[in-house]
Amino acid sequence: MGSLIGELEAREAAARARVEELEARVAELTARLAGEREVLVRLQVTRETVAEVLTELSGRDVDAGPAVAAEPVARVESGVRVVGAVMVPHWREGLSVDVLPDVYRDIVEVVADASSPMQAKQIVPRIGLPAETGKIEGTRGKLKRLVERGWLVEDQPGRFAPARRDR
């Protein structure tokens, strides 16, 4: 019987070593994934910001130059050019949330349904995203854009509420 117990102990030790090795690899991959998610969010926000700047510049400057002309351009509504990304239009009378891209519409609806101003970290799970730093920061950028465009207000730093309008 001693050899059977010894064999089982040896197999158990080998299995434990494999488990520990896999756990270490999972931890390493998890850390790498978190880093790459942050890079992805920063790149998405940068791309959206550049697209907005190019859109604003092309609206003011008739001769946009070859760099802007090389970008894909789509018309969303008359007179509005979107360069490489979907644009969040400035709010104006008669404009509904239906004109917003899905994620922005979801954000506005969550904020509108809230009884008090909300923070980005409260909004993220309500729009179906994991409550991770990258998702919270990406959502915060979208909230700031909605404030800039007149859809929301930020009366206190980091706390967002619907813009008050007569409807």
Side-chain angles (χ1 to χ4, degrees):
M1 277 297 213
S3 66
L4 180 58
I5 297 294
E7 179 65 25
L8 289 174
E9 287 174 346
R11 289 183 182 199
E12 181 183 352
R16 183 177 293 112
R18 288 191 306 271
V19 166
E20 289 172 357
E21 178 187 340
L22 289 172
E23 286 174 341
R25 288 177 55 195
V26 166
E28 176 191 347
L29 288 173
T30 300
R32 286 178 52 196
L33 178 60
E36 291 301 321
R37 281 184 175 149
E38 289 181 26
V39 169
L40 176 61
V41 167
R42 286 196 320 265
L43 288 169
Q44 288 172 329
V45 170
T46 301
R47 178 185 43 77
E48 290 172 0
T49 303
V50 168
E52 288 174 17
V53 169
L54 290 174
T55 299
E56 291 171 8
L57 289 175
S58 67
R60 287 192 303 250
D61 184 10
V62 175
D63 182 19
V68 174
E71 293 290 330
V73 175
R75 297 222 177 256
V76 175
E77 52 185 303
S78 64
V80 176
R81 291 180 53 187
V82 179
V83 181
V86 176
M87 186 174 138
V88 175
H90 289 275
W91 183 89
R92 62 183 178 277
E93 193 65 40
L95 204 57
S96 73
V97 294
D98 295 333
V99 300
L100 295 173
D102 291 343
V103 69
Y104 288 91
R105 182 175 41 244
D106 292 344
I107 291 170
V108 170
E109 289 172 351
V110 165
V111 171
D113 290 343
S115 59
S116 62
M118 298 182 74
Q119 295 177 309
K121 66 181 178 182
Q122 297 169 311
I123 295 169
V124 167
R126 288 182 173 96
I127 60 173
L129 298 175
E132 300 170 347
T133 303
K135 301 296 183 189
I136 294 169
E137 291 305 317
T139 301
R140 183 173 287 116
K142 289 174 177 62
L143 286 160
K144 296 282 189 178
R145 186 167 297 112
L146 288 165
V147 169
E148 291 171 5
R149 304 296 167 86
W151 293 92
L152 300 176
V153 294
E154 185 180 14
D155 291 335
Q156 301 169 354
R159 303 199 50 85
F160 301 89
R164 306 291 183 234
R165 296 186 183 86
D166 296 330
R167 292 191 186 236

